[in-house]
Amino acid sequence: MPQKLFSLNVFLPKCCAKIKPEQRLGIGMTEEAREVRGRIPKSLKIAFEIACARLEITQTAALEEAIKEWLKKHESTSSDK
């Protein structure tokens, strides 16, 4: 049975109104944007949505920050080899 994807539009519409205009596209997103897709456990997705709402940041901004940190970690690891 295929897993369902959950939409933020249903879950957090009122919270998103608090997001500042400069945050809507993500942290410093000045270059052309590309979509990233993946599948994660439902519980992790819900926890991520709640954390973003509490911090009043977009999921895009949080994902961009997480990916940058992941790249830093793995680039330093690969240069050690």
Side-chain angles (χ1 to χ4, degrees):
M1 175 184 236
Q3 293 182 0
K4 290 184 179 180
L5 297 177
F6 296 91
S7 172
L8 182 62
N9 296 337
V10 176
F11 193 70
L12 298 173
K14 292 178 184 172
C15 297
C16 294
K18 295 180 182 178
I19 296 170
K20 297 173 187 151
E22 63 272 15
Q23 290 176 312
R24 291 190 183 155
L25 291 177
I27 301 167
M29 193 178 287
T30 55
E31 60 186 87
E32 186 178 347
R34 296 285 192 233
E35 184 174 336
V36 176
R37 291 179 175 224
R39 299 186 74 76
I40 59 173
K42 178 181 175 181
S43 59
L44 185 59
K45 169 78 164 98
I46 291 169
F48 179 65
E49 290 175 339
I50 292 168
C52 288
R54 281 191 187 138
L55 294 169
E56 296 183 356
I57 64 169
T58 64
Q59 290 183 33
T60 298
L63 285 169
E64 184 177 346
E65 181 180 337
I67 291 169
K68 284 178 180 179
E69 289 299 316
W70 185 89
L71 286 170
K72 276 187 210 175
K73 177 183 173 185
H74 290 280
E75 286 171 353
S76 64
T77 305
S78 65
S79 65
D80 294 341
K81 292 180 181 179

